[in-house]
Amino acid sequence: MRTTVSVIKADVGSVAGHHRPHQEMLNYAARKLREAEETGLLGSGYVTHCGDDIILVMTHNKGENNPEIHGLAWSIFKEVTEKVSRKLKLYGAGQDLLSDAFSGNVRGLGPGVAELEFNERGSDPIVVFAADKTEPGAWNIPLYRIFASPDNTAGLVIDPKLHDGFKFEVLDLIESQVVTLKTPEEMYDLIGLIGTPGRYAISKIYRAVDDEPAAAASTTRLSLIAGRYVGKDDPVLVIRCQAGFPAVGEVLSAFAVPPLVSGWMRGSHRGPLMPVSFRKGQNVVSFFDGPPRVMAMGWQVSNGRLVGVEGIEPADLFEDPFWEYARQKAAELAVYLRTMGEFEPARLSHEEMEYTTLPQILEKLKPRFRPVEEKQVTEK
Ligand code: 13P
Ligand code: 13P
Ligand code: MG
Ligand code: MG
């Protein structure tokens, strides 16, 4: 049986700055998803949030980029904006909805999308990650560790199905081009590209031995669509696990040492990606609007539906006390980076600040610059 997992997310407004959505927004979205289950459009629909982003996790049999599924997500985000966010004057109401020109697909309009269509195996565990206060390139290091590094993923060495490696689809977010690279043969080329996460982001991964889809990530860059700063593009990611894919434990272990990612305060800083438990309410930012964080939801995809630990409630994969270690490490790194204030590399590079309000400040200084020669003359 072919099943599609569609994860579609957007920030359409939040309480207390960029903290979290209002509960009414989540309730509204949950009602709409339940209706879609009742009409048979969805097998399952689950709504949650990561920081100020609403995450819709849906299963269905309509394939990727389906107008009905994208239309459902789009109408949920629009209606939540109009009926709740604007009414309550929430912060950044409708933030990620950059255009009204919906014509069957939300890609390019603001919401982030990660979709995987596959033939269900005898048992199909998936992990859905959602991050706040960062960008799609934040998945580059974890995805490299999970699917290309034998130091992270024992299965690359041990499991014959993983041993042939994976094919990475890498998007050039500036030029809107895509390239496919195969590991382990082209691992160094892959690193050469994805080492620049603000420009190159992994969008899809396939298992090399049979081209089975293994992972899908959202790759929206709002500022490149809008031409101005509109918050970061807090990304989502779906990974299939076990029995010929990386084990859930291998997937999670890629987050044990927090990578530094772009985002955080005003989308203008580098900070550690902190793995958090949503059941413990850690999926909301506070310190300097951060640090950037990631949550991990575990499900079985069974007969077109999501099976969690109780009904549809997902396993909270960063709840284990082990992750206190990574959280502590991330907190230390976060405090350390803040000692640098607005100096690179704690603040993003000049090029990456292009879509923020910093260029307006620097513009004012322009008339005051004079040639170096002139200065030397006056000093004589
Ligand atoms: P089990 O033998 O418990 O199925 O575990 C195998 C495995 O994949 C561990 O990561
Ligand atoms: P979001 O991208 O999560 O909306 O955050 C924007 C921001 O400016 C945080 O300081
Ligand atoms: Mg926001
Ligand atoms: Mg956000």
Side-chain angles (χ1 to χ4, degrees), residues 258-261 264-265 269-274 286-293 326-342 346-347:
L260 297 181
V261 298
W264 207 355
M265 175 57 74
H269 298 84
R270 293 198 174 85
L273 186 63
M274 180 188 262
S286 57
F287 172 55
F288 199 60
D289 280 2
R293 63 202 54 214
R327 291 192 265 275
Q328 180 64 31
K329 197 88 203 151
E332 283 164 15
L333 285 164
V335 170
Y336 176 80
L337 278 164
R338 287 312 307 140
T339 64
M340 288 185 66
E342 294 313 292
R347 198 213 67 197

Side-chain angles (χ1 to χ4, degrees), residues 11 14 18 52 95 133:
D11 175 349
S14 46
H18 293 280
D52 55 3
Q95 177 178 288
K133 304 299 180 269

Side-chain angles (χ1 to χ4, degrees), residues 42-97:
L42 296 182
S44 290
Y46 181 78
V47 61
T48 185
H49 72 98
C50 184
D52 55 3
D53 296 272
I54 293 183
I55 320 287
L56 309 175
V57 185
M58 300 170 283
T59 55
H60 53 92
N61 56 17
K62 304 216 170 276
E64 297 173 22
N65 294 309
N66 178 269
E68 281 181 84
I69 302 297
H70 281 234
L72 171 67
W74 182 254
S75 66
I76 290 176
F77 293 136
K78 284 301 267 189
E79 289 168 29
V80 164
T81 300
E82 297 311 326
K83 296 187 177 166
V84 189
S85 306
R86 292 208 200 283
K87 194 181 78 188
L88 300 179
K89 284 179 69 180
L90 298 185
Y91 199 69
Q95 177 178 288
D96 288 358
L97 308 182

